[in-house]
Amino acid sequence: MRINVLLNIGKKPSGAARPIIEFCNKLSKHHDIVMYKAFNPNKNGLEYFVREKIGFLLKGRSFIPEWIDCDFPVEIIPRYDEKWIKDADITFFRSPHLACDVGGWSKKTGNKAMRVSTIHLLKNPLDIPENVFLIASSTMVYEKLKILYPRHKIFRVANGVNCEFFSYENRFYEKPQSIGMIFYGGKNAGHKGVEIGLDIFKRIKSEYPHLHFLIAGWKNPGNLPGYVEFIKGEKSSDMLEFYQNTDIFIFPSLEDAFPNPPMEAMACGCAVVTTDVGGIRDFATDESAIICQPGNLQQMLNAIKTLIENPEKWRNIAQNGRKKIKQFDYSNQAKILEEVFYEILSTS
């Protein structure tokens, strides 16, 4: 297959971009994939007008992100317009605001497939042409899309995890010594439950002062307690180090579509305490993680204390999680996406 991928990949690590890149890394072994980065991702305003002019000057050059490896070419274009991209069998993208433009492209760009992996479209639905196939990242997203877009053809392909990279085979399980979580910045990150996580850290610290507390993120918020170690997650290798140094990983999100960090933590042998959001139950069970109700701080506290005070349970949860998550390695998930693409082609 010839697959065009429209992804505004940047210099900073992106949880939204990572799954697309990981899928493409696997698919590129057997298919012709070109990813396009538009300097103006089809938005209006002076800033984007200037970006588009810069993109025109750089048109055709390669873009190499430093935070993740891409086993396929990433080409710079001014904006997402079919005149800048190659003919293809499939055009694959994830930004809903591109749907109307891409849906109107000619047949030479192939069938159009949009990955839906965030809660924003579910909360603020947009008009999406019926010729755009929708690929949901979780069961929750799939069920909501069926209600919002009853006339569309909708598929379900879960995110995966790179178990070859995110791994810690020699982890020593004696008793938990550290607790970690991810810091999400930005104006749209309030639903990630960071404040709840910091409150949990404070309470656990008061009862178990010997524990080591870690937070990883792109940028240090600057107001972390002195007992918290911040790990700057500029590259995938930084995140690997974070997970490998974390014994209990907490994910206190209030709502989500299909979060990557709990999967990566499980692959690295962390015991995961997470809220029951999005696609969590697509890959986690009560034997492979402790799953709490969103916003229930006391329930998460009790779960963490249980793991701290019962090393055997901590070890079982962590080891079961690592075993379970291997089913979601991208080598498996990419095959499912490949089958979806073939089914889409068969309908044309």
Side-chain angles (χ1 to χ4, degrees):
M1 273 184 290
R2 299 167 301 166
I3 305 171
N4 286 333
V5 181
L6 315 181
L7 183 68
N8 201 31
I9 182 174
K11 295 181 179 179
K12 299 179 181 179
S14 166
R18 178 184 291 280
I20 302 293
I21 296 168
E22 295 283 11
F23 277 126
C24 291
N25 278 339
K26 295 298 183 182
L27 292 173
S28 65
K29 295 179 180 180
H30 306 289
H31 303 283
D32 181 13
I33 292 181
V34 179
M35 182 174 287
Y36 293 93
K37 171 184 170 59
F39 262 55
N40 173 11
N42 294 34
K43 294 185 178 182
N44 299 319
L46 178 60
E47 176 189 353
Y48 293 103
F49 174 80
V50 173
R51 286 188 184 185
E52 186 170 333
K53 295 301 181 183
I54 296 173
F56 185 81
L57 295 175
L58 299 176
K59 177 172 59 71
R61 296 189 185 183
S62 296
F63 178 82
I64 302 175
E66 296 181 355
W67 60 276
I68 190 170
D69 292 331
C70 294
D71 300 334
F72 48 85
V74 181
E75 187 175 314
I76 294 173
I77 57 176
R79 64 181 288 118
Y80 290 120
D81 188 307
E82 65 175 309
K83 68 182 178 182
W84 302 120
I85 69 174
K86 297 179 180 179
D87 294 354
D89 300 303
I90 296 281
T91 292
F92 186 42
F93 64 101
R94 64 165 299 274
S95 297
H97 79 273
L98 293 178
C100 287
D101 288 342
V102 175
W105 288 1
S106 66
K107 291 183 178 180
K108 70 176 186 178
T109 56
N111 288 284
K112 317 305 187 295
M114 186 176 82
R115 177 70 166 170
V116 183
S117 57
T118 71
I119 61 173
H120 303 299
L121 179 65
L122 307 181
K123 298 175 72 173
N124 302 286
L126 300 176
D127 289 333
I128 297 176
E130 290 182 26
N131 68 322
V132 174
F133 296 87
L134 305 179
I135 304 177
S137 61
S138 70
T139 301
M140 181 274 287
V141 173
Y142 176 78
E143 295 298 335
K144 291 194 174 184
L145 286 177
K146 287 199 301 182
I147 296 172
L148 292 172
Y149 301 99
R151 301 181 65 177
H152 284 69
K153 180 66 175 177
I154 304 172
F155 300 89
R156 176 175 47 192
V157 181
N159 285 350
V161 62
N162 186 341
C163 292
E164 183 177 354
F165 180 83
F166 287 107
S167 178
Y168 192 14
E169 296 297 333
N170 297 321
R171 182 184 285 273
F172 181 64
Y173 292 102
E174 183 178 8
K175 57 183 179 180
Q177 300 288 343
S178 59
I179 300 178
M181 74 172 186
I182 304 290
F183 173 78
Y184 295 87
K187 61 182 180 180
N188 296 321
H191 64 284
K192 292 295 187 178
V194 172
E195 293 302 321
I196 294 175
L198 289 173
D199 195 359
I200 289 173
F201 271 22
K202 179 180 178 180
R203 297 180 187 222
I204 293 294
K205 174 66 175 176
S206 67
E207 294 190 45
Y208 307 94
H210 66 283
L211 292 178
H212 187 198
F213 296 81
L214 305 96
I215 287 182
W218 170 253
K219 184 178 181 180
N220 191 329
N223 59 347
L224 296 178
Y227 60 83
V228 174
E229 178 185 356
F230 181 80
I231 295 178
K232 191 172 178 63
E234 292 184 319
K235 300 179 181 179
S236 297
S237 57
D238 300 325
M239 297 308 299
L240 176 62
E241 178 185 355
F242 162 71
Y243 291 126
Q244 290 182 340
N245 284 287
T246 297
D247 293 326
I248 299 173
F249 176 80
I250 67 171
F251 189 73
S253 182
L254 299 173
E255 54 182 353
D256 230 298
F258 196 104
N260 300 318
M263 301 181 78
E264 295 166 354
M266 290 168 73
C268 290
C270 307
V272 170
V273 177
T274 178
T275 47
D276 191 1
V277 292
I280 289 291
R281 290 195 181 271
D282 285 0
F283 63 85
T285 65
D286 292 330
E287 290 73 38
S288 59
I290 298 184
I291 305 173
C292 307
Q293 290 302 308
N296 193 328
L297 184 147
Q298 190 59 51
Q299 190 180 17
M300 293 199 78
L301 278 172
N302 292 341
I304 295 167
K305 291 178 183 179
T306 296
L307 296 180
I308 294 171
E309 296 174 4
N310 295 273
E312 184 176 355
K313 183 174 180 63
W314 162 68
R315 181 171 56 252
N316 289 338
I317 289 288
Q319 292 178 339
N320 289 342
R322 184 165 63 178
K323 181 179 179 180
K324 174 70 174 180
I325 210 64
K326 287 182 178 180
Q327 301 172 20
F328 290 85
D329 185 81
Y330 272 109
S331 59
N332 297 324
Q333 298 310 105
K335 291 178 182 177
I336 299 174
L337 181 60
E338 181 183 47
E339 291 172 0
V340 167
F341 284 164
Y342 277 127
E343 184 172 346
I344 289 174
L345 289 178
S346 71
T347 64
S348 59

